[in-house]
Amino acid sequence: MSFGIGDAISVGDLILKAWKTCSEAPDQMDAAAEDVKNMMENLHYLGETVGKPDSFVQTRGRKLASMLEQNMKDLMTDLKRIENLIKKWTRICSLGWFEATIKKGNFIIKDLREVEDLNLKLEKHDKRIGRLLRTLHIGVSEGIYAALEKQRKQDAAESKERAKESKKWKNYLDENGTEKLSQAVRSPDEKVWEKLKNDLTKNGISEIDMEATMRMIQNNLHKLKVEPTPASSVPAPAAAAIQKPPPPRKQEHIRILCVDGSNNIVRSVIAQAYLELVRVWTANTSKQWLFKEVESASCGVVSMFTKKYQAEAQIKTALQPRAKHSNNKALRAHSEQDHFRSEERTEIFRRLLNSTSRGINAVHFNDFDYIIYFDQPTHDLLENLKPYAKNCAAGKPQRAKLVLFKGAELFEDLDKTIHEVKMATRRWLEHEFKWVRPLASIKNGPWRTRQMTIPDECFSRLTAKKGAGREEIEAKSGCKLWISSKRQDPQTLLSIVGPQEVLSKAEALVRKLFPEQQAPPKTPKPKNTPEVTPRIVVITPKGSKEGDTVVSK
């Protein structure tokens, strides 16, 4: 390999090897190692592509070769920093318990922000590698050179701004040590936090950055059993008492939300549709139900929550009203692609195209397991809204984990956007759910899936402990019933999974639980009124043909 790709792969291997020896590492370090792990596949592929003697880079692409070398040089610098931080944590873990606990706390306060910065840079590196690979496949032109160079400069400018903020934190900690910050995190005294807040503000640290960093420090100190007093009355979101995270759900009970930013509804509906298709595909071929439900939303669509906290979340565009997805070009383009041809696909897109867009609500942060987003501006909006959603959680810990779908950018070419969202979705399922692509098609598995929406009364009867509920229908039909959470629309989704020949039987049993339609009241018949039998007269008009008969009563 050449252009520094082999060196980057060697350092990446050392990072992953060191990571395996880490114990109780902060989430940010785990995320950095995962980013490196995901990047390695692209690096290997890039090395194989440019290493061929007849490749464009080797023959004519001097400009691209120079750009590639610069990217690898930047990547090497950041990989070395990640390696040093992981090794530092590993050395701390080898110390005695008391000394290790103190030094872990200092690492979290002083060094974890640098790890967070490197996470963001690794994401940008991975995107640039992906763009280089696409460039090598589709061909190189001056316009592509300009776009690649523009993106590199933009990423560098963003990293430089982030580095300025990090330097302010470093300067403060170098001058004052970690004691003040550590004391403020643990102290129930409101004055201690206010004093620290004033000090940080004097050092030029913004309030939003302050809260995000303090929240990160708190969450990781909590894992070391170094947590603030539960009776803390500090009002700031970053200094609120830390709660234990909610227990993990079984896979088939997981709830997912796909979110777009404040100016479009494109990638969220594409991801929702593809997740639903993959879930049915997996159920039909392996009898496994991947997750309970998936929804899509936009920070720019009005809801009671976004309407109340629009200013605090810094949603600068006007909130849009809910609208029919039948007018959504992205979803319609996705429905017209020639994949997953089946009755299941037809039903999924029919339902989604008849649904309406929705805004994000507090329940999404508090009750959903994953909130999937696609770019940094959406992440910032979600982080701004998250503390206010916690106020609606009635003291319960928030469940949602924010997940970035890397590489799922918004392109002018809608088909390309759809493809990248699908690929990002597949990578996430493989990583998070250990999903394996089925060998059989959606129509050729041992089972099939039939979906329907059910009213509230049917939902209550299916989920009731007594009576003809879900278990009884499953026993009678030989099918499996999967029910999403009760919705307010009401649009609760029921999925019936089983052999093709018994799906109709299961559906009929479910429909028996639907509320009966009230029959119109019968008109009372007067007493002593003899019944009159209607007289049928057959009239054959003059000139009519045989078989032309008019019947009157």
Side-chain angles (χ1 to χ4, degrees):
M1 292 183 189
S2 55
F3 307 103
I5 299 173
D7 294 335
I9 290 174
S10 298
V11 177
D13 288 334
L14 289 173
I15 289 172
L16 296 178
K17 188 176 180 180
W19 180 46
K20 289 179 181 178
T21 64
C22 280
S23 59
E24 300 177 351
D27 292 341
Q28 286 72 17
M29 293 181 69
D30 288 341
E34 283 293 336
D35 285 340
V36 173
K37 187 177 179 182
N38 295 334
M39 193 188 299
M40 292 295 278
E41 185 178 347
N42 276 342
L43 280 173
H44 279 288
Y45 186 40
L46 183 63
E48 291 171 6
T49 303
V50 303
K52 295 175 182 177
D54 59 343
S55 72
F56 180 85
V57 180
Q58 298 280 10
T59 55
R60 306 187 307 279
R62 290 184 181 179
K63 199 170 182 179
L64 187 61
S66 175
M67 192 178 294
L68 181 56
E69 285 179 352
Q70 183 60 47
N71 281 331
M72 289 301 109
K73 187 177 178 181
D74 295 343
L75 175 60
M76 277 290 292
T77 302
D78 294 330
L79 287 176
K80 283 285 187 184
R81 289 169 63 192
I82 286 284
E83 183 187 16
N84 291 335
L85 288 165
I86 289 178
K87 285 181 176 178
K88 183 176 180 180
W89 181 266
T90 305
R91 286 196 298 271
I92 291 172
C93 292
S94 66
L95 301 172
W97 178 84
F98 182 75
E99 187 180 0
T101 302
I102 293 173
K103 291 199 172 184
K104 282 179 181 178
N106 288 334
F107 181 96
I108 288 167
I109 293 172
K110 291 190 72 174
D111 298 315
L112 202 56
R113 185 182 169 88
E114 184 181 358
V115 178
E116 181 78 3
D117 291 348
L118 288 168
N119 281 344
L120 296 174
K121 294 185 78 173
L122 286 174
E123 289 174 8
K124 290 180 170 60
H125 284 304
D126 199 24
K127 282 185 178 180
R128 283 205 294 272
I129 292 169
R131 289 191 194 101
L132 283 167
L133 281 169
R134 286 195 293 272
T135 299
L136 291 170
H137 283 294
I138 64 176
V140 182
S141 66
E142 285 300 319
I144 291 176
Y145 279 131
L148 288 170
E149 185 60 21
K150 181 181 177 183
Q151 188 62 50
R152 190 186 71 80
K153 288 181 179 178
Q154 184 180 333
D155 291 345
E158 290 176 5
S159 298
K160 192 173 180 180
E161 285 299 314
R162 175 81 179 176
K164 286 180 182 178
E165 292 294 322
S166 296
K167 191 173 182 180
K168 292 174 185 176
W169 278 94
K170 187 176 185 304
N171 291 339
Y172 177 82
L173 291 170
D174 287 343
E175 292 174 11
N176 301 279
T178 60
E179 187 58 35
K180 280 187 179 180
L181 198 145
S182 179
Q183 185 182 2
V185 168
R186 294 193 297 270
S187 175
D189 189 352
E190 187 177 332
K191 293 179 181 178
V192 176
W193 163 248
E194 287 298 329
K195 187 178 179 182
L196 175 68
K197 190 176 177 181
N198 291 334
D199 284 349
L200 294 173
T201 304
K202 287 176 184 176
N203 280 266
I205 297 170
S206 67
E207 188 170 345
I208 293 176
D209 189 55
M210 189 189 308
E211 290 182 0
T213 303
M214 289 292 286
R215 193 182 301 117
M216 177 183 67
I217 291 170
Q218 277 189 311
N219 290 339
N220 284 284
L221 287 179
H222 168 69
K223 291 184 178 181
L224 299 177
K225 310 296 183 185
V226 184
E227 55 188 35
T229 307
S232 173
S233 59
V234 182
I242 291 176
Q243 298 170 314
K244 292 183 178 180
R249 286 175 171 149
K250 290 183 179 180
Q251 184 172 303
E252 61 267 22
H253 295 155
I254 285 174
R255 305 174 72 189
I256 303 168
L257 179 73
C258 306
V259 179
D260 271 309
S262 58
N263 57 352
N264 63 74
I265 309 172
V266 177
R267 291 168 288 184
S268 61
V269 290
I270 296 170
Q272 180 189 3
Y274 191 66
L275 281 165
E276 289 210 29
L277 288 167
V278 170
R279 179 174 62 178
V280 170
W281 184 20
T282 307
N284 288 4
T285 52
S286 65
K287 304 180 182 179
Q288 177 192 5
W289 199 243
L290 280 177
F291 48 84
K292 183 169 186 174
E293 65 185 288
V294 56
E295 293 183 6
S296 59
S298 170
C299 295
V301 173
V302 67
S303 69
M304 293 293 290
F305 183 62
T306 52
K307 190 175 181 181
K308 185 175 181 180
Y309 297 110
Q310 182 180 2
E312 291 83 347
Q314 299 180 24
I315 302 174
K316 297 176 182 178
T317 55
L319 293 174
Q320 300 297 314
R322 296 182 66 177
K324 278 281 186 183
H325 276 146
S326 55
N327 298 322
N328 190 299
K329 292 181 180 179
L331 187 59
R332 190 161 290 283
H334 192 189
S335 70
E336 292 169 357
Q337 289 189 342
D338 192 22
H339 302 291
F340 292 103
R341 289 295 175 189
S342 60
E343 294 174 7
E344 287 88 340
R345 172 199 164 88
T346 303
E347 173 56 30
I348 286 171
F349 278 110
R350 184 199 63 78
R351 173 168 44 81
L352 293 180
L353 286 166
N354 285 327
S355 64
T356 55
S357 60
R358 66 179 62 225
I360 193 165
N361 279 296
V363 68
H364 293 135
F365 292 97
N366 301 329
D367 291 345
F368 277 61
D369 298 272
Y370 297 98
I371 296 180
I372 293 166
Y373 64 97
F374 305 93
D375 50 44
Q376 189 62 37
T378 307
H379 173 268
D380 295 341
L381 290 175
L382 292 171
E383 285 292 350
N384 291 342
L385 285 168
K386 200 172 181 181
Y388 301 102
K390 194 171 185 178
N391 296 337
C392 307
K396 295 180 182 178
Q398 290 183 316
R399 178 177 289 276
K401 177 182 178 182
L402 302 185
V403 178
L404 170 66
F405 268 18
K406 298 176 185 177
E409 298 179 37
L410 194 59
F411 298 97
E412 290 184 10
D413 183 351
L414 195 50
D415 287 336
K416 189 174 183 181
T417 300
I418 293 170
H419 174 75
E420 292 300 332
V421 171
K422 287 162 67 174
M423 291 302 100
T425 305
R426 188 176 290 188
R427 288 193 297 270
W428 178 69
L429 287 171
E430 289 169 350
H431 174 262
E432 196 73 20
F433 290 76
K434 310 304 178 192
W435 177 75
V436 178
R437 187 180 187 277
L439 297 175
S441 70
I442 195 170
K443 295 191 294 186
N444 294 331
W447 281 9
R448 296 298 297 271
T449 302
R450 185 170 298 178
Q451 294 184 321
M452 56 195 293
T453 53
I454 56 175
D456 288 349
E457 190 170 334
C458 181
F459 175 89
S460 301
R461 290 176 180 177
L462 281 172
T463 54
K465 293 183 179 179
K466 296 181 180 180
R470 175 168 52 185
E471 291 181 2
E472 186 174 337
I473 292 176
E474 288 178 342
K476 285 182 179 179
S477 65
C479 293
K480 187 73 178 174
L481 271 59
W482 297 103
I483 310 171
S484 67
S485 301
K486 187 175 180 181
R487 295 266 293 274
Q488 295 178 352
D489 327 42
Q491 285 290 318
T492 304
L493 179 66
L494 170 67
S495 301
I496 305 170
V497 186
Q500 176 78 53
E501 59 272 14
V502 295
L503 289 179
S504 296
K505 180 181 179 181
E507 183 182 356
L509 291 170
V510 171
R511 290 195 180 278
K512 286 182 179 180
L513 303 182
F514 277 36
E516 294 181 7
Q517 297 292 333
Q518 290 186 350
K522 293 182 179 180
T523 305
K525 190 166 53 175
K527 294 182 179 180
N528 303 323
T529 304
E531 272 194 29
V532 179
T533 304
R535 188 165 60 93
I536 299 176
V537 180
V538 179
I539 305 171
T540 306
K542 191 174 181 181
S544 63
K545 297 179 181 178
E546 187 177 357
D548 293 345
T549 308
V550 180
V551 180
S552 65
K553 295 184 181 180

